[in-house]
Amino acid sequence: MNNIDVDVALLLGEEANRQVFNQILKNRKVQLRELIETGYSRERIKKVLTNLKKYNLIGEKASTFDEFNTYYITAEGLQIGRKISF
């Protein structure tokens, strides 16, 4: 994967998507409750996570309680993180 997909570039061009992606990238895994502390609404965070999962930038490990769902960076997400300078 030498070039970044245009859709992924557009996705990460949006501030909320980029911030959430960067937090997961930096920490390698993050729970939903930690992401909600970024200041975005729960609904916005959930939409961002859905979009990031759609492009396989992150994965999800579900928990009994939503707040404890864990989101982790995927191999593809790591590659994109190395190619994009934020």
Side-chain angles (χ1 to χ4, degrees), residues 44-55 58 71:
R44 181 69 180 124
I45 295 292
K46 297 280 276 181
K47 184 175 180 180
V48 166
L49 292 168
T50 298
N51 288 332
L52 293 172
K53 287 190 297 184
K54 176 182 173 183
Y55 290 99
I58 65 168
Y71 298 89

Side-chain angles (χ1 to χ4, degrees), residues 32-46:
L32 176 61
R33 62 188 176 90
E34 297 170 283
L35 293 171
I36 293 172
E37 296 171 4
T38 61
Y40 293 103
S41 70
R42 178 187 182 88
E43 294 78 26
R44 181 69 180 124
I45 295 292
K46 297 280 276 181

Side-chain angles (χ1 to χ4, degrees), residues 8 11-12 21 52 55-59 72-74 76-77 80:
V8 171
L11 176 73
L12 295 177
F21 177 73
L52 293 172
Y55 290 99
N56 197 34
L57 301 178
I58 65 168
Y72 56 89
I73 199 75
T74 62
E76 187 161 341
I80 295 295

Side-chain angles (χ1 to χ4, degrees), residues 16-33:
N17 296 331
R18 188 172 55 252
Q19 283 186 349
V20 171
F21 177 73
N22 276 335
Q23 186 169 353
I24 297 170
L25 179 66
K26 179 179 142 191
N27 295 298
R28 300 296 191 241
K29 63 180 180 175
V30 179
Q31 290 183 338
L32 176 61
R33 62 188 176 90

